[in-house]
Amino acid sequence: MYSIGEVSNMFQLTVPTLRYYDQQGLFPNLKRSESGVRSFCQNDLESIRVIEYLKKAGMSLKDIRTFIDWCHEGDGTLVDRQNMFLDKLAVVQAEIAELNRVQDLLKFKAWYYTQAVAENTEARIKHIQPQDMPEEIRKAYENSHAELQCPKVSPR
Amino acid sequence: MYSIGEVSNMFQLTVPTLRYYDQQGLFPNLKRSESGVRSFCQNDLESIRVIEYLKKAGMSLKDIRTFIDWCHEGDGTLVDRQNMFLDKLAVVQAEIAELNRVQDLLKFKAWYYTQAVAENTEARIKHIQPQDMPEEIRKAYENSHAELQCPKVSPR
DNA sequence: GCTTGACCTAAAGTCGACTTTAGGGGGTAG
DNA sequence: CTACCCCCTAAAGTCGACTTTAGGTCAAGC
């Protein structure tokens, strides 16, 4: 069993953050001493690991709490939990695709400014056309600019 | 030239959001009529596109403002802008790597619950060992569990 | 016996990025 | 002429995830 201070040191979480998680219902089985001191067992540590991962997957504490509650409700919630992970997987895959486009924009911008810095001015590079870029940069440029929103309304 | 309402329709941004961006200094060259009505030109629309992308790259409005200011200061800030994009590129690449691990965890969890749902109980799958998982799932499981933080403090 | 350090609670504060509210101007269509 | 729509500002509210503050308990060491 571990005190809240020890757990705080194990994970990169402050003591108030752990108390906040507890308050939000993320540790439904957390034991306390008679005087009210929290005492974390292996299962509670495992919960923290899961919470960290679900947070990285972009889930809110509220959604994480729902999941933890489902786990305690037993096999009746298996389909809910399955769907939750299938949905989250789709979201994360979309995020990865989006970030890859962002990465391409940043690669293009980094190249653009590297050229500008080398020439000590933005003057020439500012007007460069895709066909004059190196192959790899052109691809990144086109990929990252493909899905840009364009005006859908005409001028007045 | 476009009114704020037209611009709001072109991009998925509300009118108050555009006014908020203006207030934060993201449109330093935005023109107004004598009565104070905003009028967006092509350059302002281009700014909005850049803002959208830098937001996706995880930049705060404050950082975006700094970048926009640099652009107006001219060639003296080229190195700053280059470094900004190089730094952001590194951050986004780290995020992609992290999300790939998260994706593997979600793939594993989705598989886990698909098994549980098929068997109508978590009882068996709960105790499965890596060597008993399908190749692909085992890889995802091990990849996503490789960097888990582990207790760094001993029990008391 | 008193200080120290780790624990506790409840409640208020913070931060970023908006959104909402309240109050007002101005041009045009019926 | 008045209803309506779009525009404006300043200021307050919201939301999530914490952090900070204020005040209190308790066991151990000098």
Side-chain angles (χ1 to χ4, degrees):
Chain A
M1 308 294 271
Y2 305 84
S3 74
I4 197 168
E6 286 163 343
V7 175
S8 163
N9 285 328
M10 290 175 203
F11 298 90
Q12 297 323 321
L13 297 170
T14 69
V15 168
T17 297
L18 288 167
R19 289 203 265 250
Y20 173 71
Y21 285 179
D22 187 21
Q23 192 187 312
Q24 298 308 301
L26 301 188
F27 306 129
N29 290 336
L30 189 64
K31 294 289 179 300
R32 303 262 196 145
S33 74
E34 312 112 44
S35 57
V37 174
R38 274 169 271 246
S39 162
F40 293 74
C41 70
Q42 285 301 329
N43 274 346
D44 300 318
L45 300 187
E46 185 54 34
S47 288
I48 297 177
R49 286 189 199 96
V50 172
I51 291 166
E52 293 285 87
Y53 251 103
L54 298 184
K55 276 205 310 185
K56 283 179 191 165
M59 282 177 63
S60 67
L61 295 189
K62 207 175 145 193
D63 287 350
I64 294 173
R65 195 217 154 124
T66 300
F67 170 70
I68 288 178
D69 289 347
W70 279 339
C71 289
H72 284 92
E73 281 172 40
D75 290 340
T77 62
L78 285 175
V79 172
D80 295 315
R81 288 183 262 166
Q82 178 190 27
N83 286 333
M84 193 197 82
F85 284 115
L86 288 172
D87 292 351
K88 255 320 167 194
L89 180 58
V91 169
V92 165
Q93 286 173 340
E95 278 173 17
I96 290 173
E98 179 70 23
L99 271 192
N100 276 316
R101 270 206 304 285
V102 169
Q103 181 187 213
D104 275 343
L105 180 82
L106 294 175
K107 276 182 183 167
F108 166 69
K109 289 285 191 180
W111 172 82
Y112 174 101
Y113 281 110
T114 300
Q115 301 299 303
V117 166
E119 297 168 14
N120 228 26
T121 173
E122 219 181 335
R124 184 194 66 87
I125 198 82
K126 195 184 285 183
H127 304 293
I128 197 167
Q129 296 298 308
Q131 60 267 24
D132 303 321
M133 300 173 189
E135 179 64 8
E136 203 184 335
I137 299 300
R138 196 176 52 72
K139 273 193 211 153
Y141 174 85
E142 287 173 349
N143 184 37
S144 62
H145 284 66
E147 307 232 349
L148 272 179
Q149 297 109 319
C150 288
K152 292 163 192 113
V153 164
S154 47
R156 47 177 172 176
Chain B
M1 309 293 270
Y2 305 85
S3 73
I4 197 168
E6 287 164 343
V7 176
S8 162
N9 286 327
M10 291 175 203
F11 299 90
Q12 295 324 321
L13 296 170
T14 70
V15 169
T17 297
L18 288 166
R19 289 203 265 251
Y20 173 71
Y21 284 179
D22 187 21
Q23 192 187 312
Q24 299 306 302
L26 301 188
F27 307 129
N29 290 336
L30 189 64
K31 294 289 180 298
R32 302 262 195 145
S33 76
E34 313 112 42
S35 56
V37 174
R38 274 169 271 246
S39 163
F40 293 74
C41 71
Q42 285 302 328
N43 274 348
D44 300 319
L45 300 187
E46 185 54 34
S47 288
I48 297 176
R49 286 189 199 98
V50 173
I51 290 166
E52 293 284 87
Y53 251 103
L54 298 184
K55 277 205 308 185
K56 284 179 190 165
M59 281 177 65
S60 66
L61 295 188
K62 207 176 146 192
D63 287 350
I64 294 173
R65 195 220 152 121
T66 300
F67 171 71
I68 288 178
D69 289 347
W70 279 340
C71 289
H72 284 92
E73 281 172 40
D75 289 340
T77 62
L78 285 174
V79 173
D80 295 314
R81 289 182 263 165
Q82 178 190 26
N83 286 334
M84 193 197 80
F85 284 114
L86 289 173
D87 291 352
K88 255 319 165 197
L89 180 56
V91 169
V92 165
Q93 286 173 341
E95 278 172 18
I96 290 174
E98 178 70 22
L99 270 192
N100 276 317
R101 269 204 306 283
V102 169
Q103 179 185 215
D104 275 342
L105 180 81
L106 295 174
K107 276 183 183 167
F108 166 70
K109 290 284 192 181
W111 172 83
Y112 174 101
Y113 281 109
T114 300
Q115 300 299 304
V117 166
E119 298 170 15
N120 227 26
T121 173
E122 217 183 336
R124 184 193 65 87
I125 199 81
K126 194 183 284 183
H127 304 293
I128 197 167
Q129 296 298 309
Q131 61 268 22
D132 303 321
M133 300 172 190
E135 179 64 9
E136 203 184 334
I137 300 301
R138 195 175 53 72
K139 273 193 211 151
Y141 174 85
E142 286 173 350
N143 185 37
S144 62
H145 285 66
E147 307 231 349
L148 274 178
Q149 297 111 318
C150 287
K152 292 166 192 108
V153 165
S154 48
R156 46 176 175 177

